[in-house]
Each structure stands twice: as structure tokens, then as C-alpha cells.
Amino acid sequence: MTRKIIHVDMDAFFASVEQRDDPALRGRPVAVGSATGRGVVAAASYEARVFGVRSAMPSVVALRRCPDLVFVPHRFDVYRFVSRQIREIFHDYTPLVEPLSLDEAYLDVTNNLKGLPSATATASEIRERILDVTRLTASAGISYNKFLAKLASDRNKPNGQFVIPPGQGADFVAGLEVGRFHGIGPKTAEKLNRLGIATGADLRARDPAFLRAHFGKAGDWYHKIARGEDDREVTPDRPRKSSGSETTFEQDLVTPDEVLAAVRRMADQVWDWCERTRTSGKTVVVKARYADFRIVTRSKTLGVAVASHADLIAVSERLIATLFPLRAGIRLIGVTLASMAPLDEADQLALPVD
């Protein structure tokens, strides 16, 4: 049976929520984030994107491109609430929902719970219900596998949908630049371009041995997607592999006490997520970016999952202390827990932090 996969992607989600809740922001270029110092854009409205403002862009650059840009602080509690509303709608149509983030998910509607005749009709109804419940728009891609559905959802944004029918995936992919492929980042795209591979058609022309020689196991994946092939299942409740928090500071941290205090704040945020989701991890990673932008990471994998807030702080502090005395001021600190597992399965014995 040919699968029916939908990729639903909310339109400029964070910024759209802010415009919905504050009528004065509607129709104006809006960025979620901080405009001061070393702030970055977390999300940009479509009015801001016209000027080239994008997420992860330094705020000072965004303001140069769009002097009228309005910055608003993020409200993640609101975004999470809206995300839950959207996922409840998804589950009215299928139990096979694979969230990718707060604002996008894959749905397998091969056998939809509403008995609708097509994936196109299902996507249309889902988008209508999202608009009715949240007053926000969503775009959707419909196809017979996840890779193609993801590509299709970008085709008619915002507030649109696009279908890549069975048998047409390879032709659709052939005309796209490889940098547009989900899972191929800028560095990989540059490497492909250097090898004379600019489009899906170029990629399809290369045999698996050539691709494996240059990209290892990923070469087999590139060979498949160049033909519009993807046999991955839509996996509900996909386990999260890590949880992290990081902050860029207005002023460089120049003393060990300042750095340790920052690490504790990041660990607080990570553990708050762990408690809410009842998960933890065995690998603790701390990250520091110096004022000269050099990045250093330190990690430790324990024999058991971190079982308490105090344990996470202790391990994080010990890792960051390997950077003392500081060679320069630090502009960013991050703490991440990886190798995640349900917290109930964590060994509750005292953790060895040495």
C-alpha cells in the first residue's frame, strides 16, 4: 500500500503567536529575541523575512537589515501550550504523529481515523482546524514518504499546501538544489557542489560507491533521496536524545565565580525539563565560547543516568572547572544532558562525580 504522509509546519510560529496576541504587531516586521548587545533572533515574522531577517541571526545584523524591526521577548510557556493544542488536533486523525519540534510534525494518515478520502483532504481539514482553534496558519506537504512531504511543505508557504504524488518524487527532486534537501546542511552542500553535484539530478547521476567514498554511510542515504526514496516510518513519541540550554551574555564572564554561576543557571533549566518529562541522561556536556569565538566543550559519560539536580550541577561544575584559569573572557555557556532515558529507570544510588 502506498503510504500517505503529511508534514505540517506552522508559519513563523513564535512570531505569529506574538502577532496574534498583540494586534499592534500585526503587519509589522517582528523578531522574537533580544535587540540588545549579543542578542540573536529566535524567530522572524514574514514581514521581517522580506528584509532578509532570519532565525539565529545576530540582532545587530537584523536591525541593520530592517531598522523598523520590532523585538519582543520569547514566551515559551505560551508556545508550548499552543503546540499541545495543535498535537491534540493531529491525534484526532491518526495515532502516528512524530513531532519534530514545537511547530512541526509528521503524520501518517494512510488509515486516517476520520475516514477522509485522501491525504490532501485530511491536510486541508487539519489546517482549517488549527486556524479555528489557535487563530494561526499552518502549511503542509503531502506525499508518499517523509523526505518528500518535508520538501513539499516549503513549497506553498505561508498558509498553503503542496502534493508530490506517487511516481513523481524523483522528478521533483531532480530540479532542486541539494542545499534545499532536508538533512543536507550548508557544509555538506558546499562539498557536494565542489564535487560537481548542484542539483538532485546531479546527485542521482552518481553511483553509490562514489557517494560512499566521499560521505561514508550517508552516501547511501543521498543515493536514495536523489530518487525520491525514503522508507523511514513515522515514529510516534520519538525519544529525545538530549536536552540542553545555553545563553550568550551581554558582558563577557571573566571570573570563575561568574562562570560557575552561569553553569548552575543552565543546569537549572536542563533539570527543569528533565523533571517535567521524567527523563535524564548519562552524558553531561558543558560548552563555552570565548570572546574570540573559540568554542570549547567538555563531557563526561557516567555509569548511570544523572539522578538529581544536585548531581547535574556537580558534574557540570567539575567539567567547566577544567577551563580555569580562564584564558579569555567567555561570552556563551551551555549545559547539555545526552544519552537520555526515563528518569524512573535512573539508578538512584549516589553518583560518582570524580
Side-chain angles (χ1 to χ4, degrees):
M1 180 184 295
T2 300
R3 292 187 299 163
K4 300 175 182 179
I5 310 297
I6 301 172
H7 178 258
V8 179
D9 192 6
M10 300 301 295
D11 298 322
F13 183 50
F14 295 173
S16 294
V17 170
E18 300 302 334
Q19 289 178 315
R20 178 197 69 178
D21 294 348
D22 184 354
L25 297 176
R26 295 172 192 170
R28 301 178 66 185
V30 173
V32 176
S34 171
T36 59
R38 294 169 176 169
V40 296
V41 175
S45 69
Y46 282 98
E47 295 88 350
R49 295 182 189 187
V50 171
F51 294 89
V53 177
R54 295 289 184 270
S55 61
M57 177 179 287
S59 299
V60 292
V61 176
L63 283 167
R64 282 201 297 268
R65 294 189 177 186
C66 181
D68 295 327
L69 189 63
V70 180
F71 275 87
V72 295
H74 61 70
R75 297 182 299 154
F76 284 111
D77 55 337
V78 178
Y79 310 148
R80 283 191 287 266
F81 174 77
V82 177
S83 181
R84 287 194 296 271
Q85 290 181 301
I86 295 165
R87 290 182 190 176
E88 287 175 4
I89 293 171
F90 293 160
H91 283 283
D92 286 342
Y93 295 84
T94 176
L96 300 178
V97 176
E98 181 181 334
L100 300 179
S101 61
L102 290 176
D103 62 340
E104 62 175 320
Y106 290 115
L107 290 71
D108 186 330
V109 296
T110 308
N111 298 298
N112 73 80
L113 299 176
K114 298 273 190 176
L116 295 171
S118 69
T120 300
T122 305
S124 294
E125 186 170 307
I126 288 172
R127 291 175 49 243
E128 289 173 5
R129 287 193 57 197
I130 289 172
L131 180 61
D132 182 58
V133 171
T134 70
R135 293 184 290 121
L136 299 169
T137 63
S139 296
I142 305 105
S143 196
Y144 51 93
N145 65 46
K146 292 165 70 173
F147 175 71
L148 294 173
K150 172 78 171 175
L151 289 178
S153 65
D154 283 335
R155 191 73 172 197
N156 283 333
K157 279 183 128 339
N159 196 25
Q161 61 185 55
F162 186 79
V163 182
I164 303 175
Q168 296 186 23
D171 290 339
F172 181 83
V173 169
L176 293 181
E177 296 178 358
V178 291
R180 298 277 304 279
F181 291 5
H182 177 57
I184 293 183
K187 290 185 178 179
T188 302
E190 289 177 9
K191 182 175 180 179
L192 286 162
N193 291 166
R194 290 196 300 271
L195 294 169
I197 302 172
T199 67
D202 297 333
L203 187 58
R204 187 167 60 186
R206 300 304 179 105
D207 61 45
F210 175 88
L211 295 173
R212 279 195 297 270
H214 289 279
F215 300 98
K217 293 180 179 179
D220 290 325
W221 169 245
Y222 300 155
H223 181 261
K224 291 179 66 174
I225 61 176
R227 288 155 177 76
E229 299 172 1
D230 177 9
D231 56 7
R232 294 174 300 159
E233 300 291 332
V234 173
T235 306
D237 301 320
R238 184 179 58 176
R240 185 162 175 172
K241 295 181 180 179
S242 65
S243 174
S245 181
E246 63 180 41
T247 294
T248 299
F249 302 97
E250 296 291 334
Q251 303 292 329
D252 292 342
L253 309 181
V254 295
T255 70
D257 286 345
E258 290 176 330
V259 173
L260 289 169
V263 165
R264 286 191 287 270
R265 290 198 299 274
M266 297 304 100
D268 290 345
Q269 295 175 23
V270 171
W271 193 254
D272 177 66
W273 182 88
C274 290
E275 289 189 323
R276 285 188 285 106
T277 60
R278 298 301 301 164
T279 56
S280 185
K282 294 182 179 181
T283 300
V284 181
V285 182
V286 297
K287 171 183 174 183
R289 178 183 292 150
Y290 289 104
D292 60 6
F293 289 91
R294 179 189 171 206
I295 296 175
V296 176
T297 60
R298 296 287 187 269
S299 67
K300 184 175 182 65
T301 298
L302 306 162
V304 295
V306 175
S308 72
H309 183 199
D311 288 335
L312 177 59
I313 289 176
V315 178
S316 301
E317 288 183 336
R318 187 173 294 276
L319 289 172
I320 203 69
T322 63
L323 304 185
F324 301 156
L326 297 175
R327 56 176 290 274
I330 290 179
R331 58 182 282 127
L332 177 148
I333 288 289
V335 173
T336 298
L337 254 181
S339 304
M340 307 298 284
L343 190 57
D344 293 339
E345 297 176 7
D347 190 330
Q348 296 300 312
L349 298 175
L351 267 175
V353 296
D354 291 326

